[in-house]
Amino acid sequence: MLIDFSKIFGRSKPSKDVAKERLQLVLIHDRANVSPEFLEMVKGEIIKVIQHYMEIDESALDIQLTRTKSDESDRIVPALVANIPIKNVKNAGK
């Protein structure tokens, strides 16, 4: 079991990282027409489900809601893009 000591001792992210995340949420909101709160709720649910099966690096997690061209037509549709670094798989094959 790995312990994230920065969470225990309260080290926070540098302000530039916090500002970058906030800007990304604003851009995502504009592109996909969903609220930042909704995106955070989805992100939290995805993390919970994946952590049931794998140990992940939450500090490097990147989940974005964007727009992309549909495979079936020329329509532009929302797309959920996730980059989730996996540290370890729990109970693989059981």
Side-chain angles (χ1 to χ4, degrees), residues 69-89:
K69 188 175 176 181
S70 172
D71 290 339
E72 299 156 0
S73 68
D74 289 337
R75 270 184 12 176
I76 301 298
V77 295
L80 183 67
V81 180
N83 181 8
I84 306 168
I86 300 169
K87 292 180 179 179
N88 190 22
V89 177

Side-chain angles (χ1 to χ4, degrees), residues 2 12-13 16 22-23 46-47 52 59 72 94:
L2 295 174
S12 60
K13 293 181 181 180
K16 71 173 186 154
R22 288 182 184 160
L23 179 58
I46 290 171
I47 290 170
H52 184 74
S59 64
E72 299 156 0
K94 292 184 181 178

Side-chain angles (χ1 to χ4, degrees), residues 44-74:
E45 291 294 320
I46 290 171
I47 290 170
K48 275 194 240 178
V49 170
I50 291 174
Q51 283 181 331
H52 184 74
Y53 301 99
M54 300 171 199
E55 184 180 341
I56 62 172
D57 182 3
E58 284 188 57
S59 64
L61 179 85
D62 182 30
I63 297 178
Q64 297 179 9
L65 194 56
T66 187
R67 292 179 173 219
T68 188
K69 188 175 176 181
S70 172
D71 290 339
E72 299 156 0
S73 68
D74 289 337

Side-chain angles (χ1 to χ4, degrees), residues 1-51:
M1 177 178 191
L2 295 174
I3 298 174
D4 187 352
F5 288 106
S6 64
K7 287 182 182 177
I8 293 172
F9 294 111
R11 286 179 43 194
S12 60
K13 293 181 181 180
S15 61
K16 71 173 186 154
D17 291 338
V18 173
K20 181 180 174 183
E21 284 181 11
R22 288 182 184 160
L23 179 58
Q24 286 176 338
L25 286 174
V26 169
L27 290 173
I28 290 166
H29 169 70
D30 287 345
R31 290 181 191 158
N33 200 24
V34 297
S35 71
E37 293 82 15
F38 176 80
L39 185 61
E40 283 301 314
M41 183 178 68
V42 169
K43 184 177 175 179
E45 291 294 320
I46 290 171
I47 290 170
K48 275 194 240 178
V49 170
I50 291 174
Q51 283 181 331

